[in-house]
Structure formats: structure tokens, C-alpha cells
């Protein structure tokens, strides 16, 4: 692949470009229908804010544009039925299709320029119900509202350093994310990353009881931290090459799905705020990644990882981001589908 240029090294502006503009991750967001009033955000405005200076690469996702497909299974251990009546939590094995990806709008990005990594996942039950999700490796999100994310994109795209200073002053929650981006360890494998669903959802059990939860996928692989400079030496596309070779030689890779249950008073509408330590957790199953396939003809190519596609027993909470993301994901899908002839596939693009 063509490299995207020199790697940013330091400074708040570079940090924002790497960690947020490129790594907005689960955050290509717009407002839901009730918010689409004149002067407010629309999916079109959010996608415009995400677009790089040269324009969006045709046929690609508008964010997390660089990725690779995988297939495998979700092995439910049965513990989840205590929390939700979703069939997917009943003990058994369910088909899974997903996508490892980088938080970047550039499908040719150098791996070491993207601070945020993501995992899109679709789990399907035999009755046709699906659970789709989009997770990222930061333990909390950069900002607290969709409007703030749009404002961050606009501010970080300006050459005037005062724009970012004004944004940070208005959105102090960004400081925690900036610290994570500068200090959290890097790895040289998708298999070694934990992926977090930062948004809150409501689980409903068989008796009608409700709990607000978040979930994460925690790797079974040993985590070996490296520096950004060391990752750069691995090559621009090393992450895709490494996960392909790892599974070919070492076999399937696994992540434990852990759900965290909120206590009363925990912030459920703000993904920039992590819940306190000590909250109840339940291990509900294991994601097993069995096969890697290139995206251009892979099974994840045409999946929209809309986080509001949920099985019975799971629904959205008061967190505005899932519905907001759904709005932009849908628009992004429509755009890349219309541009399919421009996408570099080896067979006819699907509609």
C-alpha cells in the first residue's frame, strides 16, 4: 500500500490528528431524527467534518477506512441469560463476522499513525437475530456528546492553534483522552488489544428486570507493549500481515466478552466517563477469530456495523451516541455503495 506520509511525533495538534481525527473510532456521529432541526447536526455535516482535505476515498467507509475482515464464532457460556433474554447469551456457538480496523479516514494509512484501533462485530443467532457492535481500544471516549465530537473535528482541522485551545477549554473531558493517547502502550498486533464498547445499553432478562451495561472484549493473547517508533519499523501494513500470519501459524485467537453492570448513579449517557472500579462484571462468552480475509472481497465488506441492530433483550439507553452513530453509518454506507465501481475489488461490487 502507499504510505500516507511522515508520522506525526509530538504536540497537541499532532496528538489530536492521530488520536481523534484519524481515530474517532466508534465516533462518526450525527443526531437522531428528533434533533435534526435547522442549524443542528445532520449526518451530512458530520461526514463533511470527517472528510480529509483531499476528499473521502471513494467506495470506502468514511471513518475506520483501513481494515481487514475475519470470520469465527461467539461461544456463549450461558452466564449472560441472567442479564438478558437475548438468544445469543444462551449456551452455544453463534456465527461471527467482523473487521479489525484503524481509526482513520485514509485506507492507505501507515499503521503507526492511527492511535485508535477498532473491532466491528456481527453475531448471528440461528433464528436470524443479529447483534452488531463497534468497539475501540480506548477505555473511554474523547468527548461527552456528538456535538462535541463534531466541534473537535472542526477545531483540529484548523491551522489556528487557538481553535484547539478554545475547544479544550469548552470540553475539559478531552484531557483524559489526550493523556491516554500519549501514555497508553502500543502493541504490534490486533490480537493483543482489548476492545471496548463505550456506550451504555439496557439488558432485559426473562422476568423483565433491566440493567444498564457496557461490555468489552479482553484478549487471551499475551500483551507485549512496543513504542510507536518500533511499530513504524514494522511497516505500513504490518497489523494486517501480522494477524493473518498469527492465525495461520498459531491458530484461532480469542477474546473474553465481559459485561459491566452499572450501579445507580453511574453516568450512562456519557461515554467519556468510565464507571468506577468494583462494578459487577459477568463473563458471558468468548469471541473466537478463526479466519482472516482481505476486505475487498471479504465477508465484512458490505456489513454496516450499526450499533442499534440489537437482538430482543438488548436496547439502547439514554446514551445518545448509538442512535447518532447509526444515522451517520447509514449515510456512509449509502455513499460507499453508490461509489462501488471506484472501490478496488477483484470481482463485481455488491449493490
Amino acid at each position: 500500500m502507499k504510505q500516507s506520509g511522515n508520522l506525526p511525533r509530538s504536540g497537541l495538534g499532532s496528538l489530536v490528528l492521530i488520536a481523534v481525527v484519524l481515530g474517532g473510532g466508534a465516533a462518526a456521529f450525527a443526531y437522531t431524527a428528533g434533533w435534526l432541526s435547522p442549524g443542528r447536526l445532520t449526518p451530512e455535516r458530520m461526514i463533511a467534518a470527517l472528510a480529509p482535505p483531499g476528499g473521502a476515498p471513494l467506495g470506502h467507509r468514511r471513518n475506520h477506512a483501513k481494515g481487514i475482515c475475519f470470520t469465527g464464532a461467539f461461544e456463549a457460556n450461558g452466564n449472560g441469560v441472567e442479564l438478558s433474554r437475548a438468544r445469543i447469551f444462551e449456551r452455544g456457538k453463534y456465527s461471527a463476522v467482523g473487521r479489525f480496523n484503524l481509526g482513520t479516514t485514509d485506507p492507505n494509512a501507515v499503521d503507526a499513525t492511527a492511535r485508535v484501533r477498532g473491532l466491528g462485530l456481527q453475531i448471528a443467532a440461528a433464528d436470524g437475530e443479529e447483534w452488531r457492535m463497534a468497539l475501540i481500544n480506548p477505555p473511554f471516549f474523547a468527548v461527552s456528546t456528538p456535538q462535541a465530537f463534531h466541534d473537535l473535528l472542526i477545531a483540529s482541522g484548523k491551522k489556528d492553534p487557538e481553535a484547539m485551545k478554545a475547544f479544550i477549554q469548552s470540553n475539559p473531558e478531552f484531557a483524559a483522552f489526550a493523556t491516554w493517547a500519549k501514555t497508553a502502550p502500543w502493541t504490534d498486533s490486533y490480537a493483543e488489544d482489548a476492545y471496548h464498547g463505550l456506550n451504555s445499553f439496557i439488558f432485559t432478562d426473562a422476568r423483565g428486570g433491566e440493567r444498564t451495561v457496557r461490555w468489552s472484549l479482553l484478549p487471551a493473547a499475551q500483551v507485549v507493549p512496543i513504542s510507536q517508533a518500533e511499530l513504524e519499523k514494522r511497516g505500513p501494513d504490518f497489523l494486517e500481515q501480522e494477524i493473518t500470519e498469527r492465525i495461520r501459524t498459531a491458530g484461532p485467537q480469542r477474546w473474553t466478552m465481559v459485561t459491566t453492570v452499572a450501579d445507580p448513579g453511574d453516568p450512562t449517557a456519557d461515554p467519556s466517563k468510565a464507571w468506577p472500579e468494583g462494578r459487577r462484571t459477568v463473563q458471558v462468552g468468548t469471541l473466537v477469530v478463526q479466519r482472516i480475509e482481505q476486505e475487498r472481497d471479504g465477508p465484512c465488506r458490505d456489513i454496516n456495523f450499526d450499533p442499534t441492530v440489537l437482538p430482543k433483550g438488548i436496547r439502547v439507553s439514554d446514551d445518545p451516541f448509538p442512535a447518532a452513530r447509526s444515522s451517520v453509518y447509514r449515510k456512509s454506507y449509502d455513499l460507499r455503495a453508490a461509489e462501488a465501481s471506484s472501490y478496488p475489488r477483484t470481482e463485481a461490487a455488491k449493490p
Side-chain angles (χ1 to χ4, degrees):
M1 285 186 176
K2 180 182 177 182
Q3 294 194 17
S4 298
N6 296 329
L7 300 181
R9 286 296 185 194
S10 61
L12 181 59
S14 296
L15 170 64
V16 171
L17 286 174
I18 295 173
V20 183
V21 176
L22 298 182
F29 306 142
Y31 283 107
T32 54
W35 300 340
L36 296 178
S37 55
R40 302 298 295 273
L41 281 176
T42 64
E44 291 78 9
R45 288 181 61 196
M46 189 64 77
I47 286 176
L50 281 163
L58 297 181
H60 291 273
R61 297 171 194 262
R62 267 26 188 192
N63 199 6
H64 288 247
K66 184 177 184 179
I68 192 166
C69 298
F70 66 79
T71 56
F74 176 67
E75 298 177 348
N77 58 23
N79 294 339
V81 298
E82 177 187 352
L83 304 176
S84 169
R85 61 188 177 91
R87 292 267 183 94
I88 286 167
F89 288 132
E90 295 176 3
R91 180 182 291 273
K93 185 179 293 186
Y94 304 90
S95 66
V97 179
R99 181 177 184 265
F100 295 111
N101 56 78
L102 297 180
T104 173
T105 58
D106 181 1
N108 298 314
V110 175
D111 289 346
T113 60
R115 191 64 181 94
V116 171
R117 299 174 188 172
L119 187 153
L121 181 62
Q122 174 184 279
I123 303 172
D127 62 3
E129 282 198 330
E130 293 180 352
W131 184 12
R132 299 185 192 181
M133 63 192 81
L135 307 95
I136 53 175
N137 60 334
F140 41 76
F141 193 56
V143 291
S144 58
T145 66
Q147 179 68 58
F149 181 69
H150 176 271
D151 294 346
L152 173 58
L153 291 173
I154 297 300
S156 60
K158 293 182 177 179
K159 296 182 179 180
D160 182 2
E162 295 301 317
M164 272 305 303
K165 290 181 180 179
F167 170 82
I168 294 171
Q169 185 174 13
S170 299
N171 300 273
E173 73 273 18
F174 178 73
F177 182 86
T179 298
W180 173 86
K182 288 186 289 186
T183 62
W186 294 69
T187 74
D188 66 355
S189 177
Y190 282 127
E192 297 175 17
D193 285 320
Y195 300 97
H196 307 286
L198 302 180
N199 303 116
S200 302
F201 290 81
I202 305 297
F203 279 14
T204 305
D205 62 30
R207 298 182 177 181
E210 295 187 341
R211 300 167 182 84
T212 304
V213 307
R214 293 172 176 169
W215 55 81
S216 297
L217 291 169
L218 306 182
Q222 180 181 358
V223 178
V224 181
I226 66 166
S227 67
Q228 181 185 10
E230 284 299 314
L231 180 60
E232 178 184 355
K233 294 176 183 177
R234 303 286 201 272
D237 307 313
F238 179 78
L239 291 175
E240 294 184 2
Q241 297 163 0
E242 193 280 340
I243 192 65
T244 302
E245 182 64 12
R246 179 185 288 242
I247 290 177
R248 187 185 71 82
T249 58
Q253 299 297 297
R254 292 171 166 81
W255 286 257
T256 300
M257 181 178 284
V258 177
T259 59
T260 302
V261 182
D263 276 3
D266 285 343
T268 58
D270 184 353
S272 73
K273 291 183 172 61
W275 292 342
E277 295 290 333
R279 293 296 179 261
R280 182 189 176 203
T281 60
V282 180
Q283 295 185 9
V284 298
T286 303
L287 172 65
V288 183
V289 174
Q290 300 167 331
R291 180 181 174 86
I292 299 294
E293 298 186 45
Q294 292 299 314
E295 183 182 51
R296 65 176 56 191
D297 294 307
C300 75
R301 163 62 190 160
D302 298 306
I303 295 179
N304 178 8
F305 293 103
D306 182 339
T308 65
V309 176
L310 301 166
K312 296 175 183 176
I314 305 177
R315 61 179 174 83
V316 296
S317 70
D318 59 347
D319 187 332
F321 278 98
R325 285 164 52 197
S326 176
S327 181
V328 168
Y329 283 16
R330 183 169 56 251
K331 180 63 177 178
S332 173
Y333 180 87
D334 289 345
L335 288 170
R336 62 191 176 91
E339 300 160 356
S341 62
S342 298
Y343 186 79
R345 303 187 69 171
T346 58
E347 64 180 16
K350 298 178 182 179

